């Protein structure tokens, strides 16, 4: 069908990577002629005139958001962990939203923190409409947490008894058990398909003791409009080159900023020829910017920047670097590559679906500063050889070739068609659900 109504649920309109890629998918589906609309809790500045966005009553969402946080706090979750977990027990009854009821299919994006409850999700599933759960984190595979990091207890029976966020609280363990049981029930539905954005994420989900989906987990990467990210001039008038490291929050432990700083310092000390004339640009929030002061290379911390400024920084970058312990996919690497920057990263997770070592980037083989520094040196020397027209320079690393590598694999139309192929109607299920007033 070329006229499907598709409701896409997302807590945020433009805050965070999950919201941005969800909006890109919405645009791609609309470009194919479908009436796809994002239903959001937290609208952005530009959405009021966007026909593809419908915001719920913000006051209703704030009530359910606060109720969920309060429940966790009263049961003993420490304040620093309140936003690392969600229960899915509170929401704004999205199954009663007019467009959800009219829709031919529903796509669930990142809809946590009091927006979509498990009961509302059950009511949507019970209609028999095709439902896709786009997993932007690993919450579906765990009892409560969004990103378990190096913890793999979710792959074991009674995994919630070992959750690092719950401590020794019996009240939290019983809550986690109830949530886990509800998820196990929901994910057996014939009309629900789980979609991972990388091979690594699919492997993590399939190892969960909680997930028993009716269908194999699909891997469909993010839709990426490469035409909006174009290469620019890679050196300034004095021949200086830049490395860009971008994140929403640079001091998120997952991003491993300390190792990035150590790697850059090792790069400057061990590979002075490659590091000559190199500057580093950081984007993202940072509670203590002074941590960057120990860098041996010139640097600029830009803070949070808009997409236009980020594209400008990428366009002029020779290297886009990630020191993350893991990424579900690696959106910053995609963006940098599309702008002609050579990606340098560790490869423990979804980064490998974006970067192929020595083909279109460099993957540090060990999660150490020395390993990442060597990869930086290789990338910088490769870029200089390509720019100089060295006949021995490896193929695939010119800005145009890097851009084409991204554009060919993640074209929005291609990704949207893959998503549409999963929206197959089935018979209604017999799931129980609790009603409510939208």
């Amino acid at each position: 069908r070329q006229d499907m109504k598709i409701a896409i649920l997302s807590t945020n309109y433009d805050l965070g990577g999950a919201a941005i890629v969800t909006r890109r998918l919405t645009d791609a589906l609309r470009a194919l002629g479908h009436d796809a609309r994002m239903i959001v809790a937290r609208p952005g500045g530009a959405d009021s005139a966007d026909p593809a966005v419908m915001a719920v009553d913000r006051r209703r969402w704030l009530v359910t958001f606060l109720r969920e946080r309060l429940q966790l706090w009263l049961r003993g979750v420490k304040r620093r962990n309140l936003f690392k977990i969600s229960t899915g027990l509170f929401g704004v009854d999205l199954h009663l939203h007019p467009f959800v009821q009219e829709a031919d299919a529903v796509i669930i994006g990142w809809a946590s923190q009091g927006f979509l409850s498990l009961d509302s999700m059950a009511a949507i599933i019970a209609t028999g409409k095709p439902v896709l759960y786009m997993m932007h984190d690993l919450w579906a595979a765990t009892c409560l947490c969004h990103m378990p990091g190096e913890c793999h207890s979710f792959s074991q029976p009674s995994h919630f008894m070992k959750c690092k966020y719950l401590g020794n609280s019996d009240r939290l363990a019983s809550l986690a058990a109830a949530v886990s049981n509800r998820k196990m029930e929901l994910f057996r539905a014939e009309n629900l398909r789980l979609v991972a954005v990388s091979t690594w994420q699919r492997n993590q989900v399939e190892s969960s003791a909680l997930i028993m989906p009716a269908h194999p987990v699909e891997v469909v990467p993010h839709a990426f409009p490469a035409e909006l990210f174009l290469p620019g001039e890679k050196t300034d008038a004095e021949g200086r080159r830049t490395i860009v490291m971008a994140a929403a929050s640079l001091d998120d432990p997952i991003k491993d900023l300390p190792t990035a700083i150590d790697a850059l310092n090792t790069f400057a000390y061990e590979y002075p020829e490659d590091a000559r004339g190199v500057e580093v640009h950081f984007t993202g929030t940072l509670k203590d910017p002074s941590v960057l002061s120990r860098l041996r290379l010139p640097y600029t911390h830009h803070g949070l920047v808009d997409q236009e400024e980020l594209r400008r920084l990428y366009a002029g970058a020779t290297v886009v670097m990630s020191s993350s312990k893991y990424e579900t996919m690696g959106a910053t690497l995609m963006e940098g590559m599309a702008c002609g920057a050579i990606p340098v990263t560790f490869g423990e997770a979804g980064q490998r679906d974006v970067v192929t070592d020595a083909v279109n980037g460099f993957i540090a083989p060990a999660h150490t500063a020395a390993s990442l520094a060597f990869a930086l040196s290789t990338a910088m020397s490769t870029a200089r050889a390509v720019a100089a027209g060295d006949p021995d320079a490896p193929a695939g690393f010119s800005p145009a070739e890097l851009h084409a590598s991204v554009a060919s694999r993640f074209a929005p139309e291609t990704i949207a068609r893959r998503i549409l192929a999963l929206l197959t109607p089935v018979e209604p299920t017999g799931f129980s659900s609790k009603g409510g007033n939208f």
Side-chain angles (χ1 to χ4, degrees):
R1 288 181 53 182
Q2 292 299 310
D3 58 349
M4 288 182 66
K5 290 185 176 181
I6 306 172
I8 302 176
L9 313 181
S10 176
T11 300
N12 301 312
Y13 167 70
D14 59 0
L15 180 63
I20 290 170
V21 298
T22 299
R23 195 173 78 241
R24 288 173 180 167
L25 175 60
T26 305
D27 292 341
L29 290 168
R30 291 179 70 85
L32 290 176
H34 300 283
D35 184 6
R37 305 186 201 180
M38 284 178 71
I39 301 173
V40 304
R42 186 187 282 117
D47 70 313
S48 58
D50 190 341
V53 181
M54 306 177 76
V56 303
D57 187 331
R58 187 179 177 89
R59 293 168 297 180
R60 292 184 63 85
W61 168 67
L62 284 174
V63 170
T64 56
F65 168 79
L66 292 173
R67 286 181 67 191
E68 185 179 56
R69 298 308 107 191
L70 181 62
Q71 181 191 48
L72 292 170
W73 182 70
L74 290 175
R75 287 186 179 235
V77 175
K78 295 181 179 179
R79 184 175 179 181
R80 67 175 180 272
N81 294 328
L82 279 178
F83 295 95
K84 297 177 181 178
I85 59 180
S86 294
T87 65
L89 298 181
F90 301 94
V92 294
D93 293 341
L94 289 174
H95 60 287
L96 298 179
H97 190 285
F99 191 71
V100 173
Q101 294 188 327
E102 294 172 12
D104 301 301
V106 177
I107 296 176
I108 301 171
W110 196 88
S112 298
Q113 295 188 348
F115 189 46
L116 176 67
S117 68
L118 291 172
D119 282 340
S120 190
M121 181 177 173
I124 293 171
I125 292 171
T127 66
K129 297 176 182 180
V131 179
L132 294 190
Y133 190 120
M134 305 291 293
M135 296 182 291
H136 296 287
D137 56 27
L138 290 175
W139 186 76
T142 70
C143 57
L144 297 177
C145 76
H146 291 281
M147 293 301 288
E150 298 173 359
C151 171
H152 295 283
S153 65
F154 64 90
S155 64
Q156 304 166 17
S158 302
H159 54 283
F160 47 81
M161 299 299 294
K162 307 177 184 68
C163 179
K164 61 184 178 181
Y165 296 119
L166 306 187
N168 297 317
S169 171
D170 290 338
R171 290 187 302 165
L172 278 172
S174 63
L175 176 66
V179 172
S180 295
N181 290 335
R182 187 59 163 151
K183 287 183 182 179
M184 290 177 70
E185 178 191 11
L186 293 182
F187 296 146
R188 293 192 188 103
E190 285 287 343
N191 58 320
L192 175 68
R193 302 295 296 262
L194 301 182
V195 181
V197 299
S198 68
T199 304
W200 170 84
Q201 188 186 36
R202 179 184 63 189
N203 294 341
Q204 295 292 302
V205 171
E206 290 180 341
S207 73
S208 172
L210 184 148
I211 296 290
M212 290 183 288
H215 307 278
V217 177
E218 300 286 341
V219 176
V220 181
H222 298 314
F224 183 73
E227 68 277 5
L228 300 180
F229 293 77
L230 300 174
E233 183 60 49
K234 297 302 181 183
T235 58
D236 63 12
E238 298 178 12
R240 290 176 296 197
R241 292 181 176 272
T242 63
I243 296 171
V244 171
M245 179 174 173
S249 175
L250 286 166
D251 43 18
D252 183 331
I254 294 171
K255 305 304 178 184
D256 200 2
L257 181 61
T259 295
I261 295 172
D262 290 342
L264 289 165
N265 284 340
T266 302
F267 169 61
Y269 183 77
E270 297 286 348
Y271 310 98
E273 289 299 316
D274 291 325
R276 181 174 293 114
V278 171
E279 299 180 354
V280 187
H281 292 265
F282 297 92
T283 73
T285 61
L286 189 56
K287 293 177 183 177
D288 181 13
S290 68
V291 300
L292 299 176
S293 63
R294 64 185 183 91
L295 269 171
R296 298 184 180 192
L297 292 170
Y299 72 89
T300 302
H301 175 221
H302 297 267
L304 275 178
V305 298
D306 59 25
Q307 284 290 299
E308 182 177 353
E309 175 64 7
L310 188 59
R311 286 195 293 266
R312 185 189 70 79
L313 291 172
Y314 284 140
T318 297
V319 169
V320 56
M321 181 181 76
S322 169
S323 56
S324 294
K325 296 177 180 177
Y326 55 87
E327 295 280 356
T328 52
M329 186 171 179
T332 63
L333 298 173
M334 293 170 64
E335 292 169 347
M337 284 178 69
C339 288
I342 297 175
V344 172
T345 180
F346 294 120
E348 291 101 329
Q351 300 98 310
R352 286 187 178 272
D353 281 20
V354 178
V355 182
T356 301
D357 187 41
V359 174
N360 56 15
F362 297 97
I363 295 177
H367 197 101
T368 64
S371 183
L372 192 61
F374 179 74
L376 285 169
S377 171
T378 306
M380 200 59 70
S381 61
T382 298
R384 288 197 168 102
V386 169
D390 187 338
D392 294 326
F397 287 94
S398 72
E401 288 171 319
L402 291 168
H403 176 85
S405 173
V406 175
S408 63
R409 290 180 291 154
F410 308 114
E413 180 179 347
T414 300
I415 301 304
R417 291 191 185 281
R418 290 178 63 182
I419 291 295
L420 289 169
L422 298 175
L423 298 177
T424 305
V426 299
E427 291 300 316
T429 70
F431 276 129
S432 63
S433 62
K434 298 177 182 178
N437 296 317
F438 180 71

